[in-house]
Amino acid sequence: LKVNDLGHYVGLPKDALNLRMGQFELDLPFTQARSIDLTSYDIYSQASIAGAQGTATNPFMFGIPQRGIEIGGYPNDGNFNWSVAMVDGSNNGPAMRNSKDVYVRVSQLFNLERDPNVRKEVQASGPTGPRDHTSFRVGSFYYYGRNALFPNGTIALASGSSPIPDIHEPFYRFGADLRFKYRQFELYGLGMYGRDENHVLLTQNGTLTGVSAAAPVTFSGGFAQANYWVYPWVVALMRYDLVNSPTDFLNGASRFNTRNRVSPGMQFLIRANLKWNFEYNYRWQQPIPNSNQFFRLNGFETGFDYVF
């Protein structure tokens, strides 16, 4: 099977049913593992860590491969895609709890080619560069899990009291995505919202006395990217990442609740199997510890993609 840079299967039969087991990337709206970008999407790397704001410590990140099982496919003309997965939710590490998380994704592609015969053709690269159908795709996704803390009563209360029982903190992620393709131009992006239940540990005179519900850990954001093939061998890119996380702000990760990043880039196909990538990142302001000053961790990255 062939997969393009956005993780879409091309050249497949009319109907298909896919099954994956083991460690794999979720059926993300836009792949992280096979992305053409040098840096990852910020919203994909967002974890819910309450820090000083509570007990929520959820390592799950949307863009990291998970361990489990997934089934999905596309009926009829291949324009509708679906997938359902059950995974550990502990990224590419060992399972940290008994329960499994559930992930569901659906998408619909609208082929905008006027000629019905052209819509059925398989598009691919040619002498004038890459070519795909003019199309518009919309999709949505939902992820649900139950984080487990203090297993087997690992934190005891005051002397003579029973230990704190397991704390289960349900969490979810949901969002929508779109992709538009027209000749040498491509525009795509997604928006996502995340929410984790949270608790605080109650103390009295320095002694742990119980647990109480607290404000949930929430975040939202997404990204938008535009690609344009200036020449068949030159691609210009522009991406905007946005993450809004009040918890990260309270824990000192950024100057404001919202942090954003602008990433222009260029890619040059030197040979059929060799590509040279450039990307600049203009990042959000971060506080300097023990001061009233802030800095931006801007950066310039370059690299080569070599296929052999």
Side-chain angles (χ1 to χ4, degrees):
L1 305 181
K2 295 183 179 180
V3 181
N4 65 13
D5 286 337
L6 288 180
H8 305 133
Y9 294 99
V10 295
L12 293 179
K14 185 176 180 180
D15 298 280
L17 184 65
N18 305 318
L19 175 65
R20 294 194 293 179
M21 300 179 63
Q23 181 172 300
F24 52 86
E25 182 184 53
L26 295 173
D27 182 22
L28 305 179
F30 307 102
T31 176
Q32 184 68 78
R34 296 180 295 276
S35 170
I36 63 174
D37 298 311
L38 290 174
T39 57
S40 61
Y41 304 120
D42 291 344
I43 195 69
Y44 277 8
S45 303
Q46 180 70 19
S48 289
I49 307 297
Q53 315 307 317
T55 60
T57 307
N58 187 0
F60 170 75
M61 295 183 188
F62 206 54
I64 297 182
Q66 303 294 326
R67 296 179 179 180
I69 183 172
E70 178 189 271
I71 185 172
Y74 53 91
N76 302 323
D77 56 8
N79 289 331
F80 177 77
N81 284 263
W82 66 275
S83 65
V84 178
M86 295 185 63
V87 297
D88 292 338
S90 53
N91 303 325
N92 50 4
M96 302 176 63
R97 45 190 162 84
N98 293 328
S99 62
K100 300 298 181 183
D101 298 350
V102 178
Y103 175 70
V104 179
R105 166 158 170 77
V106 294
S107 67
Q108 177 68 46
L109 177 72
F110 299 93
N111 195 317
L112 304 181
E113 296 287 353
R114 295 183 178 181
D115 188 342
N117 294 325
V118 175
R119 297 175 194 170
K120 301 177 182 179
E121 295 177 352
V122 175
Q123 303 292 291
S125 297
T128 59
R131 175 63 194 269
D132 198 359
H133 290 117
T134 299
S135 61
F136 181 76
R137 191 198 72 185
V138 293
S140 62
F141 55 89
Y142 180 78
Y143 187 102
Y144 175 83
R146 297 178 71 230
N147 198 18
L149 302 175
F150 312 134
N152 303 318
T154 53
I155 293 186
L157 297 177
S159 178
S161 302
S162 301
I164 295 177
D166 296 4
I167 295 178
H168 294 282
E169 294 179 337
F171 67 95
Y172 61 82
R173 313 280 185 264
F174 75 87
D177 61 274
L178 60 86
R179 171 180 176 260
F180 174 70
K181 178 74 175 180
Y182 177 73
R183 299 186 185 277
Q184 289 82 25
F185 177 74
E186 184 174 38
L187 176 66
Y188 56 93
L190 66 80
M192 183 169 73
Y193 176 80
R195 186 182 190 276
D196 286 61
E197 295 292 340
N198 189 25
H199 295 79
V200 291
L201 302 179
L202 304 177
T203 60
Q204 185 175 5
N205 298 325
T207 302
L208 189 63
T209 59
V211 177
S212 177
V217 176
T218 63
F219 67 88
S220 60
F223 64 87
Q225 178 161 337
N227 302 334
Y228 183 75
W229 277 258
V230 182
Y231 298 103
W233 48 275
V234 178
V235 185
L237 307 91
M238 177 63 74
R239 192 173 94 226
Y240 177 74
D241 287 82
L242 171 72
V243 177
N244 182 282
S245 174
T247 304
D248 287 353
F249 163 71
L250 293 174
N251 289 323
S254 62
R255 184 177 183 180
F256 306 104
N257 284 356
T258 300
R259 60 183 192 269
N260 48 33
R261 175 165 63 108
V262 179
S263 306
M266 294 290 293
Q267 300 189 357
F268 301 89
L269 188 64
I270 301 174
R271 294 176 57 88
N273 62 340
L274 181 62
K275 185 172 67 171
W276 192 5
N277 305 321
F278 296 89
E279 183 177 311
Y280 178 74
N281 296 281
Y282 183 75
R283 300 177 183 271
W284 61 91
Q285 290 184 324
Q286 296 177 250
I288 299 176
N290 303 318
S291 74
N292 293 323
Q293 297 180 330
F294 303 88
F295 72 101
R296 294 181 184 272
L297 192 63
N298 301 329
F300 175 80
E301 299 190 32
T302 184
F304 288 92
D305 287 334
Y306 178 69
V307 179
F308 58 90

